[in-house]
Amino acid sequence: MVTSAAAGARVGVLALQGDVREHMTALTTLGAEASLVRRPSELASVDALVLPGGESSVIDKLARAFGLQEPIRDAIAAGLPVYGTCAGLILLADRISGAIEGQETFGGLDVTVRRNAFGGQVESFETDLVAPEIDGGPVHAAFIRAPLIEQVGPLARPLAALPDGGVVAVAQGNVIGTAFHPEVTGDLRFHRMLLERVAARAA
Ligand code: GLN
């Protein structure tokens, strides 16, 4: 499972709230050197960053309280490879709907993301996605109080959709976002995509 793109890659996981451990496992399984990021100095020493699933409004607030919002925005603008899942995707969206009062994002993806798009009734579900660009067979995805990418601007590119066409994964340069949780289902292809961006940037 160890991928050559991972050799020596130092990948931070933003560890303010959310499913940090699952991402640490996915990254170390791929052979990356994974570390927790809670302060700007820790961000400065990584080659890539993962934003976990959890509660986007809480992570946003804590990131501001810990002085991480600006450093993360600057790092994204400077080309740091970043991957966000679910709440992490919301934090990477340039525009969100259903935000709580005062909720902000880091931005980086030219998309509008609707929080909790699948409502209270069917809060969590699993399904196979339409993802022609992803090699290695169907992407079986887990959605947990998930957002939906309801609008994709010209700078972002859809990577995966629900059977009904709803976009649930996008990429824009070095930034990747998925509305689902590959770190929960053990599908490492999106983390590998992040590591490939690290390798490409170093080359
Ligand atoms: N509903 C959460 C939010 O808005 C996201 C849920 C998740 O990350 N699994 O932040």
Side-chain angles (χ1 to χ4, degrees):
M1 207 49 118
V2 173
T3 172
S4 60
R10 299 167 304 172
V11 184
V13 179
L14 185 65
L16 302 175
Q17 190 268 338
D19 69 340
V20 172
R21 184 190 302 253
E22 287 78 358
H23 281 289
M24 295 293 285
T25 302
L27 292 164
T28 51
T29 303
L30 286 172
E33 203 181 290
S35 61
L36 304 178
V37 169
R38 290 199 183 95
R39 57 189 79 203
S41 61
E42 291 162 347
L43 176 67
S45 65
V46 295
D47 306 313
L49 181 68
V50 169
L51 307 180
E55 176 50 49
S56 58
S57 59
V58 172
I59 298 173
D60 162 47
K61 264 187 207 149
L62 291 173
R64 285 188 269 157
F66 281 61
L68 277 163
Q69 187 192 58
E70 240 185 67
I72 290 174
R73 284 182 175 168
D74 291 348
I76 292 171
L80 186 78
V82 179
Y83 173 34
T85 63
C86 203
L89 161 70
I90 295 168
L91 287 158
L92 289 169
D94 286 347
R95 300 167 296 279
I96 47 181
S97 53
I100 68 159
E101 171 102 28
Q103 182 171 356
E104 297 178 12
T105 70
F106 305 125
L109 292 172
D110 179 15
V111 296
T112 306
V113 166
R114 171 170 294 280
R115 293 183 64 220
N116 304 318
F118 301 95
Q121 217 174 338
V122 194
E123 288 194 328
S124 303
F125 61 97
E126 296 186 20
T127 188
D128 283 340
L129 303 179
V130 182
E133 275 187 54
I134 311 295
D135 293 331
V139 177
H140 185 74
F143 293 83
I144 305 167
R145 297 186 316 284
L148 177 70
I149 300 163
E150 58 182 14
Q151 184 261 343
V152 181
L155 301 178
R157 196 163 52 83
L159 285 181
L162 294 168
D164 72 4
V167 177
V168 289
V170 288
Q172 178 175 333
N174 280 331
V175 183
I176 306 162
T178 63
F180 50 93
H181 293 275
E183 76 281 10
V184 170
T185 51
D187 185 339
L188 302 179
R189 287 174 284 181
F190 293 88
H191 293 81
R192 192 175 290 127
M193 204 181 281
L194 179 72
L195 297 177
E196 284 163 3
R197 280 161 166 75
V198 174
R201 195 174 184 227

